[in-house]
Amino acid sequence: MSFTRPSRRIAASIAAFASLGVVAAGAVALTGGGAATTDAPAVELVSTSTCYDMVSIGIGGRNGAPGAGVKLLTDANGNQLPAALSDDFESDWVDEVVSPANSAVNPESYAAIYLQYPANMSSYDAAVDTGVSNAKSVMSAISASCPGTRFAIVGYSEGADVARRTAMEVGNQIPTDGKYAIVNPSKVVGVVILADAGRTSGEGPFPGAANPYSRPDNFDTNYQNGQTTATGAGALPGTSGSFGALDGKVASFCSNGDLTCSLPESTSIVHLLANVGRQVNVDAFEREGLTPATAADVATVIGRVAFFALNDIASQPNWLASDETFLDVLIKVSEPGYDPSKAATTPVSKSDTTAPIDSDKASNLAYLPSKLFKEVVGLITDNQNTVPVLMNDPYGLTLGPGVGHHFDYWRDADLANGKPLTSAQYAAAWLTQLAKDAQAKKPIADPVVKQAALRTVQADPVAAVAAVQAVMSTDETATTTADATTTSSTSTTPLPDTTSTAPAPTTPSDTTTSDAVPTQSESVQTTDATIPSVTDETVAPSTTATCEAEAGVEVAPTATCPAPTSVPAS
């Protein structure tokens, strides 16, 4: 089965890429994105028709994922996968990052695909969880048939959250009997997160890299001069965490003023509101406004948070003597997925709530005046910037038509200050180089050495400098035989993968297939991937000549429309 390469909307980027020798000049048409090319669902046997050297998984933001009528992929056994080839679906935003490599390598060497997931705000975390599950299923299925395939993961807006959580699970796997549950982390060569809500304060664009403000470990071109990074931190700190074996292969881009990833410190109430918003039906609010149904939805979430908070406090006999404030408790228990049975405290029983106050508990009442004082001081201290943020039109600052910082990643080049490319262009240049490396069978660094070095630093801080030097040396010279023996093939029996394994701190909970770390004598077993059901129909983004769009649809910038007009918070 052959695959044709469609025209792309990369005209504005060609000049920038040419300066890096990444993309050759050619005629590229400017087209609309996000539209299905077929009227009825179909399937594509991508896994068994071509074993690509590299596959980029694009994850669009709200309403930016393949929906009904889009041709989907299948695994080697004919099971439908929640993804579509970029020939059949296009994202006006993510396309500029994942598509340029098509023009730089052979068609059978590289493929860009788009992940199918709800991509809505009817229940934000449920949509993101589905996206993570689907991303793992797709990588597992492709890797089972094509163990030599390398992966990149690219996400924007709501898709950025999916990309971060997926990368964290992949990078922090612990192999069992030499096998990884998702995919060997060494095979994920790049992760791009545009508007990273899990970003920590002060974090550079390339977390875990030897040069965290300049470039990822496997790319020689600097993103910028100096150590500039966005202020504040992500709006969803509960999603933060280490990328494990993927540290140094992640680009986490954030623009100042994009409150999804650059929320000022001391805005605890905003974090609480964000946590509540992740659990209510925002889509219904936009469609219907405040109605009995939408009000009941909010009341249910708030009631659940309040119950968990009171239960948490009641389970701590010395809570009044602690420094934890009621707002701290609310933020803790408002995290989606909070499970009181797994909390550090022990839930209180009904008998405890009705029993007389014993002498120990009564003595704690002596702490009440100081506790109230701490509550007031804590509320003020933890929210010094909340009022300025709320008074400064947070929606307009982040998502405002033509000015919202959520769209800076396609217009943030600053040549005069040492930043020649936009964030999206830089990411595209990086992935294009990775695709070239994959086609050339260039060895990839062994994450085992990096993880060993990091553990050495933790155990012996004095050895930190030597460990970092070892990591840098390994990234430049490490060799592996996996890609030397794996070629792009139309065979359904790819050569085995010999890439070394990388132990990491945690084990993901949702697994579908086992990715072995095989030797030359081992065979690769294909297992069926359980594909979660995706029933929510999404609306594909579109672009108009007047740069107008309906609320909730992401619109790409063009030569005549430098900035999109409207997107939802995601």
Side-chain angles (χ1 to χ4, degrees), residues 252-539:
S252 169
F253 294 119
C254 179
S255 175
N256 264 327
D258 183 350
L259 297 182
T260 62
C261 59
S262 182
L263 186 67
E265 297 179 0
S266 299
T267 51
S268 294
I269 290 179
V270 178
H271 286 299
L272 176 60
L273 294 175
N275 282 348
V276 171
R278 292 159 65 186
Q279 302 173 68
V280 301
N281 192 333
V282 175
D283 289 340
F285 261 99
E286 285 192 351
R287 291 191 310 265
E288 307 162 16
L290 185 63
T291 66
T294 57
D297 181 32
V298 175
T300 299
V301 174
I302 292 177
R304 181 168 62 246
V305 170
F307 173 78
F308 285 156
L310 294 174
N311 191 69
D312 183 87
I313 291 171
S315 66
Q316 303 181 58
N318 61 343
W319 185 78
L320 288 177
S322 72
D323 291 329
E324 186 179 49
T325 66
F326 186 59
L327 182 57
D328 293 333
V329 175
L330 287 174
I331 293 174
K332 175 175 64 178
V333 303
S334 65
E335 279 288 335
Y338 170 81
D339 185 351
S341 67
K342 298 179 181 179
T345 54
T346 303
V348 65
S349 66
K350 289 184 178 180
S351 60
D352 290 330
T353 61
T354 57
I357 300 178
D358 59 31
S359 58
D360 289 339
K361 291 183 179 180
S363 65
N364 285 328
L365 294 178
Y367 294 102
L368 184 58
S370 64
K371 189 66 172 181
L372 292 175
F373 178 77
K374 290 177 182 177
E375 288 286 339
V376 174
V377 172
L379 181 65
I380 296 173
T381 302
D382 294 343
N383 289 281
Q384 294 180 61
N385 293 315
T386 295
V387 173
V389 166
L390 296 179
M391 295 295 290
N392 197 32
D393 184 15
Y395 183 90
L397 181 65
T398 296
L399 302 167
V403 297
H405 291 289
H406 201 55
F407 317 110
D408 285 346
Y409 312 98
W410 290 265
R411 62 189 181 196
D412 59 353
D414 188 0
L415 181 60
N417 291 306
K419 187 180 177 184
L421 301 179
T422 68
S423 297
Q425 288 171 340
Y426 182 86
W430 177 34
L431 295 193
T432 300
Q433 185 58 55
L434 292 177
K436 289 181 176 180
D437 293 344
Q439 178 176 265
K441 306 300 183 290
K442 182 178 179 180
I444 53 181
D446 188 348
V448 170
V449 178
K450 175 175 289 188
Q451 291 300 299
L454 293 176
R455 285 194 294 272
T456 299
V457 173
Q458 294 170 355
D460 183 5
V462 177
V465 174
V468 171
Q469 290 174 342
V471 170
M472 295 174 65
S473 175
T474 300
D475 285 341
E476 294 174 358
T477 62
T479 59
T480 180
T481 59
D483 292 318
T485 59
T486 305
T487 58
S488 296
S489 170
T490 57
S491 170
T492 59
T493 318
L495 292 175
D497 180 3
T498 59
T499 303
S500 302
T501 64
T506 58
T507 303
S509 57
D510 182 12
T511 60
T512 55
T513 62
S514 294
D515 181 32
V517 188
T519 63
Q520 290 289 352
S521 61
E522 290 179 312
S523 61
V524 178
Q525 299 295 324
T526 301
T527 57
D528 291 343
T530 302
I531 310 302
S533 173
V534 180
T535 57
D536 299 83
E537 182 173 345
T538 59
V539 180

Side-chain angles (χ1 to χ4, degrees), residues 165-180:
R165 299 191 204 188
T166 301
M168 288 171 59
E169 287 204 31
V170 170
N172 287 297
Q173 296 173 94
I174 296 178
T176 302
D177 297 328
K179 298 179 180 180
Y180 287 99

Side-chain angles (χ1 to χ4, degrees), residues 61-320:
R62 186 181 181 191
N63 298 327
V70 176
K71 186 186 298 183
L72 298 179
L73 311 180
T74 66
D75 65 12
N77 297 318
N79 300 309
Q80 192 173 90
L81 293 174
L85 199 65
S86 61
D87 291 11
D88 302 308
F89 180 84
E90 297 174 335
S91 162
D92 289 313
W93 298 102
V94 180
D95 226 35
E96 186 171 329
V97 177
V98 300
S99 291
N102 286 322
S103 303
V105 297
N106 297 330
E108 69 276 4
S109 180
Y110 175 82
I113 64 177
Y114 281 98
L115 189 74
Q116 184 187 62
Y117 76 108
N120 58 36
M121 296 284 283
S122 61
S123 180
Y124 176 87
D125 262 66
V128 171
D129 287 343
T130 299
V132 173
S133 178
N134 287 358
K136 294 188 297 183
S137 296
V138 169
M139 286 191 291
S140 294
I142 293 177
S143 185
S145 294
C146 304
T149 295
R150 306 179 188 188
F151 296 93
I153 305 171
V154 180
Y156 168 56
S157 194
E158 186 172 8
D161 202 351
V162 176
R164 164 175 274 277
R165 299 191 204 188
T166 301
M168 288 171 59
E169 287 204 31
V170 170
N172 287 297
Q173 296 173 94
I174 296 178
T176 302
D177 297 328
K179 298 179 180 180
Y180 287 99
I182 308 171
V183 66
N184 190 325
S186 69
K187 290 300 181 182
V188 178
V189 292
V191 178
V192 178
I193 309 174
L194 299 160
D196 185 0
R199 173 180 169 271
T200 58
S201 180
E203 187 172 63
F206 309 103
N211 300 297
Y213 298 96
S214 301
R215 58 184 176 85
D217 289 341
N218 54 5
F219 192 40
D220 293 333
T221 301
N222 283 347
Y223 170 67
Q224 63 183 1
N225 294 336
Q227 297 187 352
T228 303
T229 189
T231 59
L236 305 180
T239 65
S240 300
S242 167
F243 293 102
L246 299 188
D247 275 347
K249 297 189 290 185
V250 176
S252 169
F253 294 119
C254 179
S255 175
N256 264 327
D258 183 350
L259 297 182
T260 62
C261 59
S262 182
L263 186 67
E265 297 179 0
S266 299
T267 51
S268 294
I269 290 179
V270 178
H271 286 299
L272 176 60
L273 294 175
N275 282 348
V276 171
R278 292 159 65 186
Q279 302 173 68
V280 301
N281 192 333
V282 175
D283 289 340
F285 261 99
E286 285 192 351
R287 291 191 310 265
E288 307 162 16
L290 185 63
T291 66
T294 57
D297 181 32
V298 175
T300 299
V301 174
I302 292 177
R304 181 168 62 246
V305 170
F307 173 78
F308 285 156
L310 294 174
N311 191 69
D312 183 87
I313 291 171
S315 66
Q316 303 181 58
N318 61 343
W319 185 78
L320 288 177

